[in-house]
Amino acid sequence: MEDVCCPRCKTTRYRNPALKLMVNVCGHALCENCMDLLFVRGSGACPECGIALRRSNFRTQMFEDSGVEKEVDIRKRILREYNKKEEDFGSLRKYNDYLEKVETIIFNLTNGIDVEHTKKLVEQNKKDNQELIKKNRMKLSHDEELIEALLEEEKQNQSQNRLQAQREEEWERRQKRKQKEALIDDLMFLDMPADRIVQSHRQEVTSMGGRKDHPDGMPPAPPPPITRFSTGITLHHGQQHGFIPVPKQEVGEMYQYQPLVLTQLGPDVPNDECLITNNYVARVRPATTQEEAGGYRAVFACHRSLQDAFCGLFFASADLLQVTSMATGQSTAQTSSGHSSMDIG
Amino acid sequence: MFPSSTQLKFWTYSGTAELNRLRIEANQQFVQKYGREYNEVSRNEFFLNTAEETKIRRHYEYVLKEFCNGFQPTMPRYVLGTAMMYLKRFYLHNSVMNFHPEDIVYTCVYLACKVEEFNVSILQFVANVKSKREEMAEMILSQELLLMHELHYHLTVHGPLRPLEGLFIDIKTRCPDVLETEQLRRGAEDFIDRSFHTDACLIFAPSQIALAALLSCSSKFGLNLDSYVANKLVVSSDKEDMMKMVENIKRINLILKTTETLDRGQVKELLAEAGAMSQPGEQPQE
């Protein structure tokens, strides 16, 4: 194998096993020590091509071919800006054209073809699509979502299996202990010869082992993992396409306040003020200090009693109404001569 | 307020005729449901008719009243009124043969205690029962929901006692020349007590019963409250409204007068007869 070598100090991995090659945007490698030395101030020129580099842009070299490394680097940078998604295009054809364009740009930059023009193109794109780029950066593409969902599912399955295995193991252990205890019990209390008892137990154990697949008393399998909310919406975002549209709210007629009309069916009840000024309140038990602290006033009881006494006084059921309407003709004549008709009681 | 209450909307009827019709219906319903295998004659013999049912029901109204009056700790009177109302409402749509009034009476009182905020525990409550206290407690608790259901959960009852109080306040304030108002209280409350044993509370407004009570006992005392009623109470009202009121008060008095006293010895016989009928298994419970 060709030995890895730093182009500047010529150190090889053979001489320094801890050799770590770093690479920058230009694609030329440099070992870690040289990098520390050259870029003490944070920036400097590449010793091979003289391009201005920044120390923070150095990365560990992953590929032996520095060209690949450079391409990966450029691709990463370009894709960060050319990040339109399939949904942003009208048709698949247009999307594919776009991808083609991106590939061309990357190829040009990597291989130094028409660099100035390509760079201008990239700048222009960045300026034009600033908003969209920013937005798309936050979004996961469909593929990414799918992958994430798959990973999630796999994780769940794993934990499920682990749990199941644990349960089985636990059950087996308990079973074994039980058998052992049974054997000892039998040996202690049964009158049979010991070897026969041991033999019968062994048989039992083997027969148990035979039907291990369906052991009775086996703990039930854990419930299937929850894949949807109680409302029926699936949990994984992988299967969920966007948001559920907000149900359109029917706008009813505007509420109109209608004052509450209470039918008294009786003479009017004096209001609270009137109850106090006319000394109605003096007829009921005055409120104690404790009651007043709780918000009770004697006037409440007074008002309620009077209200109950007055309302409903003129109540009459439908049948009675007919009777009275017939009778009014005669009785008005009586009542008109003073209120002497009140001979009730 | 009574005018906006369920009492007016659902539990106030036009008169004795309608009440009797409902009771006959309840009785007929029961007889038809459980009396298929009897022929006409034996059916009439075996089942209670409405008149007999009414006697039993009225007997238990007295049982209820005695229970309430002997209750320890002393029970406010309005609890009695509410319980009585529950009992009446319950047997408007149910037959005495279907639910034994003995059970329903105690359940009514227990429920009334709760609704009227007269706070007693079930243990305190059954301490007032002479025997089988634990069974009684269990029975009350199990029947309570049934009772509420049959009452359609219309639990607020407007009794005539508070209106009476209101009338007293009004008279004392507006007619200070009527001196012995407090003397009237006893008579008026007696009148209301008697009205509990009639159908008045299912037909009239509680304030009308209260006014009728006041007027009837004032006339016994030789006081004339007519001028108060005419010149103060309803002074600015319609003639027609007033006529309705006067008419209703007359009807209340009439009902109280015509409701004859119950011969309780006769009821005992009836009960013995009914008791023979309601053997376990024979008495269907819904």
Side-chain angles (χ1 to χ4, degrees), chain B residues 150-194:
Chain B
E150 290 298 323
L151 297 175
H152 306 304
Y153 301 94
H154 299 147
L155 298 183
T156 308
V157 170
H158 296 268
L161 285 164
R162 186 178 286 115
L164 182 68
E165 197 56 49
L167 287 173
F168 275 128
I169 293 173
D170 198 38
I171 293 174
K172 280 186 213 163
T173 314
R174 289 203 279 186
C175 301
D177 50 312
V178 180
L179 291 173
E180 296 90 3
T181 31
E182 275 308 311
Q183 287 178 3
L184 298 177
R185 188 181 291 275
R186 216 200 156 90
E189 283 180 355
D190 272 353
F191 183 95
I192 286 172
D193 250 13
R194 274 191 289 138

Side-chain angles (χ1 to χ4, degrees), chain A residues 287-298 300:
Chain A
T288 63
T289 322
Q290 282 94 329
E291 282 167 345
E292 280 187 352
Y296 174 80
R297 300 284 178 276
F300 298 159

Side-chain angles (χ1 to χ4, degrees), chain A residues 181-208:
Chain A
E181 274 167 14
L183 177 63
I184 289 169
D185 276 358
D186 283 358
L187 283 173
M188 275 166 80
F189 299 116
L190 281 189
D191 297 332
M192 278 192 281
D195 49 340
R196 265 186 65 188
I197 293 174
V198 171
Q199 202 180 355
S200 75
H201 266 270
R202 197 163 292 150
Q203 266 170 11
E204 212 167 277
V205 169
T206 44
S207 70
M208 281 286 267

